[in-house]
Amino acid sequence: MTDQLATEGTEALIQRAAAGDHDAFQDLLTPHLAMFHYAVLRIVKDPSDAQDALQEGLLSISMSLPNFEGRSQFSSWAYRICVNAALQVLRTRRRRREEFMEDLASHGEDDGRPMEAEARLDWSTEADAPLHLERQEVRMRMMKTLDLLPDSLRVVFVLKDIEEMDTQEIAEKLDITPAVVRQRLHRARMFLQERLKPVLSGRWP
Amino acid sequence: MMGLPSCSEVESCMTDYMERALPWRKRMGIRIHLLICKVCAGLYGRLRTLSGRAKDLFAPPSPEPPVEANAALQHAMDLIRKQGTNGPPPT
Ligand SMILES: [Zn+2]
């Protein structure tokens, strides 16, 4: 199928879905589901929170679809909605945690969650490990390494380096200053580069 | 000659340097340091690779949506069917 045919197919699905055709809506989303799910999972980390966030995202897409103007690609537009839903879940989670831990909240920056030294996947001590791993497993381990970061650092890294948002936009979304965005980004990058040395030095299948 | 920044100063400023958020003089100091210090240049290379390839490095392990994703879609579809939220409800 050519790209043009695919685009025409998507446009028709969007129109039908926006007019209330539920099967069209499902067909429209299914091809992007894995990508959307992975995007929210990278932000919220917890699989059950990811399911909630994705569900919220899909509902928002459904509600906003009649207003979709087609100025951007449908997938990018919908993807952004899912990312926003994930950020909302994260905010709610943080608020919940703060309510429980109000008197312990003296750490500020890192939501009091340490980068567990004992749980870390230190690839640098097994320098050639990736060579012996299947690509799929390498990806799983990359994800686990990302999960070792506290929420505040992981979210900034994901939004900046994976979702490629600009610093100002991230600052506004997270209600922090651009300088704090860069500071957190730096800590996240330093943490990851230390643990992903073999991958970043090109020793990767 | 103006003093060059130390390795630890360079390390702590590297993201600001990559983001072009430093004043010119500091930026030049770091640029020169990176030309003469292999350790910092190595770190700089890894940070650039990490940042530049993050989208690919942290891409989904599989193109197939996991169970949770399908469950989220099914729940969303149930709600949508119940409430008729996408677009105007069918008449
Ligand atoms: Zn140095």
Side-chain angles (χ1 to χ4, degrees):
Chain A
M1 188 160 55
T2 65
D3 282 354
Q4 199 185 346
L5 274 177
T7 308
E8 279 168 9
T10 304
E11 273 170 20
L13 278 177
I14 292 171
Q15 279 177 9
R16 281 169 49 207
D21 181 335
H22 300 142
D23 291 334
F25 183 70
Q26 189 160 352
D27 290 347
L28 183 63
L29 286 163
T30 303
H32 310 293
L33 204 54
M35 186 174 67
F36 294 170
H37 176 262
Y38 202 65
V40 301
L41 183 61
R42 275 186 304 223
I43 291 173
V44 302
K45 181 175 139 176
D46 177 76
S48 98
D49 281 349
Q51 187 174 327
D52 290 348
L54 181 59
Q55 188 178 319
E56 283 308 312
L58 297 175
L59 289 171
S60 296
I61 293 169
S62 151
M63 281 188 286
S64 313
L65 198 56
N67 305 323
F68 175 63
E69 288 170 344
R71 265 192 242 126
S72 56
Q73 251 195 347
F74 169 76
S75 56
S76 334
W77 173 81
Y79 186 93
R80 199 45 81 88
I81 291 181
C82 291
V83 166
N84 284 337
L87 289 173
Q88 188 54 48
V89 164
L90 203 62
R91 249 176 256 134
T92 313
R93 188 165 79 189
R94 186 172 303 151
R95 218 174 299 131
R96 241 184 283 137
R97 195 188 303 145
E98 277 168 4
E99 280 167 12
F100 279 115
M101 301 181 67
E102 233 166 14
D103 49 348
L104 295 174
S106 53
H107 292 76
E109 272 285 295
D110 284 344
D111 354 316
R113 210 151 49 82
M115 301 182 194
E116 308 105 85
E118 68 283 4
R120 71 183 209 177
L121 291 163
D122 194 351
W123 289 14
S124 58
T125 58
E126 34 174 337
D128 291 324
L131 292 177
H132 308 298
L133 294 172
E134 293 296 328
R135 205 178 169 83
Q136 179 102 342
E137 194 178 333
V138 171
R139 296 224 183 265
M140 294 307 289
R141 292 187 65 169
M142 297 292 291
M143 185 72 174
K144 281 187 183 151
T145 309
L146 189 62
D147 283 353
L148 295 177
L149 285 168
D151 286 355
S152 61
L153 305 189
R154 191 184 63 256
V155 167
V156 169
F157 177 79
V158 168
L159 295 182
K160 176 72 186 177
D161 282 349
I162 302 179
E163 306 303 345
E164 295 171 342
M165 284 186 194
D166 70 35
T167 304
Q168 187 61 40
E169 192 183 356
I170 298 169
E172 283 162 17
K173 267 191 195 300
L174 301 179
D175 202 19
I176 52 180
T177 64
V180 173
V181 170
R182 285 193 297 273
Q183 202 179 48
R184 291 185 186 178
L185 179 64
H186 183 67
R187 291 175 60 199
R189 284 176 177 170
M190 288 300 288
F191 178 86
L192 292 171
Q193 72 80 27
E194 183 60 39
R195 277 147 195 86
L196 300 174
K197 264 182 193 165
V199 176
L200 300 173
S201 311
R203 282 173 283 149
W204 194 45
Chain B
M1 180 181 156
M2 67 171 184
L4 283 179
S6 67
C7 289
S8 70
E9 279 174 295
V10 169
E11 185 190 302
S12 67
C13 291
M14 220 160 250
T15 293
D16 285 339
Y17 176 74
M18 289 163 71
E19 291 276 298
R20 297 177 168 272
L22 293 174
W24 184 83
R25 185 177 284 269
K26 200 158 188 186
R27 195 175 158 71
M28 284 304 122
I30 291 177
R31 185 174 287 178
I32 296 168
H33 184 114
L34 289 176
L35 287 173
I36 56 179
C37 175
K38 269 190 179 172
V39 178
C40 290
L43 173 66
Y44 180 60
R46 286 193 299 280
L47 289 178
R48 277 179 60 107
T49 306
L50 173 67
S51 173
R53 289 190 52 211
K55 223 183 169 73
D56 165 48
L57 291 172
F58 295 95
S62 155
E64 287 305 309
V67 209
E68 294 87 358
N70 286 316
L73 179 61
Q74 283 323 311
H75 288 152
M77 290 313 301
D78 290 346
L79 285 169
I80 290 166
R81 286 203 174 90
K82 241 183 252 166
Q83 302 165 359
T85 39
N86 67 312
T91 44

